[in-house]
Amino acid sequence: MATAVLDIDLKQLPAEITNLERYNQALVLIRFNGKPLGKALLPVAEGHISGLELRERLVNAVGSQLWEQWLREYLDWDEVQSKSFSLPLATVAICTRDRPDDLKRCLDSLMQLPDDGQEILVIDNCPATDATQQLVINYPTVRYVREDRPGLNNARNRALREARHEIVAFTDDDAAPDPNWLRSLLVNFDDPLVICTTGLTMPLELETEAQEWFETYSPFGKGFHRVVFESAKQNPLATGRVGAGANMAVRRSLLEQVGEFDPYLDAGTATCSGGDHEMFARMLLAGYRIVYEPTALSWHRHRRTWEELRRALYGYGVGVYAFWTRTLLVEKEWVMVQPAIAWFLHDQLPNLFRAIFRLPNSLPLDLALAELQGCLAGPKAYLTARKQSA
């Protein structure tokens, strides 16, 4: 059975939750006065969850965070935003390719953002039809730009050049940002060394086995605590905990400070992914900070079919090793060797062995093989992508 995805505020707890007959469990995002504090997995019995069980489980799941948040609100204390800081203006960019149904949901969500003067930009990347352009016509406040060079990073670079504001916030077309998403990303740019912020991404739905496995094995969410990343405190090439390009904001000036996104990486090229994490690494190597801000919430529709999931994990494997290949060839950074070997020995191979022997909580064998095949294909994929664009 599938998993229901629920969004519940502890200040507005329902007496009970019903109409869950199709589910045997529920993943609950726990908020307090709108702010995400944690999540919990609850059993569903005969289609409902009692109010008593709901309260007990959710309060236990967030623990001391609940009282810390209550105290902050009582004292009117914000450790992130100073009273004198004004939020910068932002451009919201959606890079898309032939997925008008997903894009419509994303745009409908962005229409719920408070009007802080933001610009909304759709980058239509090498489309096969005019469906995206026709959809955007229905949103008078949204600007449409066509980018004919294929590749997600080409679309991101075009967004940076087209943006009219200082900060560019990126969301995927298959995501649905929360109304407070943009403000939560922007508040972290008070620090001039912060060049990028990322946010919390939760699953929009867990209706299929493929979506449940994705959320279990490779979730976009990186927890409910704010983290400041800088190269002095961690290996700048181990960017797996930083976040994802589906939910990030960057200073437009990064084009001059760090350089553009590598057009040979990510979706739409032979490398399949890795463009966001390669950029995160370059930001850190250049001495800038990246903030993971869990109150910048967005909801992502994971791939629904098993084949899509298998292709996604293959692509993640390709992208990681393509990113590290680029770091070695272009940046001449040998520090990538250590995380590359460590990830292969301590994650990929153990995952494969657990899958072969079907140990508890192991990844299905075809998924483990797909990711491993992707890792092995990554270096050649990066060279192929460069050759194809030459």
Side-chain angles (χ1 to χ4, degrees):
M1 294 180 77
T3 300
V5 177
L6 305 176
D7 183 358
I8 295 178
D9 198 308
L10 290 172
K11 279 198 166 182
Q12 299 171 351
L13 276 175
E16 67 173 339
I17 299 177
T18 58
N19 299 321
L20 298 177
E21 283 76 11
R22 293 194 303 113
Y23 306 100
N24 60 359
Q25 59 182 1
L27 176 65
V28 182
L29 173 71
I30 309 165
R31 304 193 195 224
F32 182 76
N33 208 17
K35 290 195 173 184
L37 291 187
K39 63 181 180 181
L41 198 61
L42 275 64
V44 174
E46 299 180 351
H48 84 284
I49 304 172
S50 72
L52 183 62
E53 181 178 20
L54 188 66
R55 179 182 180 82
E56 181 179 341
R57 292 221 180 203
L58 299 194
V59 169
N60 288 339
V62 293
S64 62
Q65 279 186 272
L66 172 60
W67 309 116
E68 290 170 10
Q69 182 59 34
W70 176 85
L71 189 60
R72 284 193 193 95
E73 293 189 9
Y74 182 77
L75 298 174
D76 191 24
W77 172 45
D78 190 333
E79 71 273 34
V80 178
Q81 183 176 11
S82 67
K83 300 293 184 185
S84 60
F85 177 67
S86 299
L87 293 180
L89 289 174
T91 293
V92 177
I94 311 115
C95 302
T96 186
R97 185 179 190 183
D98 298 329
R99 297 199 295 197
D101 291 341
D102 281 329
L103 179 62
K104 181 180 187 307
R105 181 176 54 245
C106 181
L107 289 173
D108 288 344
S109 298
L110 292 176
M111 294 301 107
Q112 304 307 311
L113 297 180
D115 184 2
D116 292 329
Q118 68 270 15
E119 173 193 30
I120 299 178
L121 189 60
V122 169
I123 306 293
D124 195 5
N125 189 215
C126 198
T129 73
D130 68 347
T132 296
Q133 186 174 17
Q134 292 303 315
L135 173 67
V136 173
I137 288 173
N138 299 313
Y139 298 85
T141 59
V142 177
R143 185 156 63 100
Y144 172 88
V145 174
R146 176 173 172 140
E147 170 56 60
D148 285 326
R149 290 172 299 173
L152 177 54
N153 272 0
N154 276 322
R156 286 170 174 154
N157 290 331
R158 182 67 181 272
L160 289 172
R161 289 192 290 272
E162 292 282 347
R164 292 168 177 162
H165 297 312
E166 176 187 354
I167 306 296
V168 182
F170 288 94
T171 175
D172 279 3
D173 57 3
D174 52 2
D178 202 56
N180 200 46
W181 167 74
L182 185 58
R183 286 182 176 178
S184 295
L185 288 173
L186 295 178
V187 73
N188 293 282
F189 288 98
D190 192 8
D191 179 350
L193 282 180
V194 171
I195 197 168
C196 174
T197 60
T198 62
L200 168 67
T201 303
M202 292 287 292
L204 183 68
E205 61 181 30
L206 294 173
E207 296 291 329
T208 69
E209 186 181 14
Q211 291 178 320
E212 290 180 317
W213 267 108
F214 183 91
E215 185 59 22
T216 299
Y217 181 66
S218 187
F220 285 134
K222 304 301 176 186
F224 293 85
H225 293 279
R226 181 178 182 268
V227 182
V228 179
F229 294 92
E230 49 191 329
S231 59
K233 297 180 179 177
Q234 69 163 91
N235 186 327
L237 299 182
T239 54
R241 295 189 302 116
V242 170
N247 183 354
M248 70 174 177
V250 302
R251 293 188 192 272
R252 192 158 62 94
S253 57
L254 80 80
L255 286 173
E256 296 79 36
Q257 295 167 316
V258 181
E260 64 176 15
F261 287 90
D262 188 317
Y264 311 120
L265 288 173
D266 228 311
T269 73
T271 60
C272 304
S273 68
D276 48 359
H277 287 261
E278 187 279 325
M279 176 55 83
F280 295 155
R282 227 176 328 141
M283 291 171 177
L284 295 174
L285 285 167
Y288 294 101
R289 294 174 182 149
I290 302 173
V291 176
Y292 171 70
E293 175 54 73
T295 62
L297 172 65
S298 186
W299 302 87
H300 181 265
R301 183 188 65 77
H302 301 337
R303 302 290 173 263
R304 289 173 176 145
T305 69
W306 196 261
E307 179 55 25
E308 288 175 313
L309 172 62
R310 197 192 64 77
R311 288 202 305 267
L313 293 188
Y314 172 83
Y316 289 165
V318 174
V320 169
Y321 279 83
F323 146 38
W324 285 332
T325 301
R326 190 241 184 228
T327 303
L328 179 62
L329 296 180
V330 179
E331 304 296 328
K332 312 297 183 189
E333 287 283 355
W334 286 89
V335 290
M336 46 69 57
V337 174
Q338 187 269 334
I341 294 174
W343 197 48
F344 190 81
L345 293 179
H346 300 304
D347 286 277
Q348 302 308 304
L349 284 182
N351 279 344
L352 181 61
F353 286 128
R354 285 197 294 270
I356 290 173
F357 294 105
R358 299 183 179 182
L359 298 180
N361 302 317
S362 61
L363 196 63
L365 181 58
D366 64 326
L367 299 183
L369 284 172
E371 188 174 47
L372 184 61
Q373 290 167 348
C375 295
L376 298 174
K380 183 180 179 181
Y382 184 70
L383 299 176
T384 300
R386 291 181 68 93
K387 186 177 180 180
Q388 288 174 341
S389 298

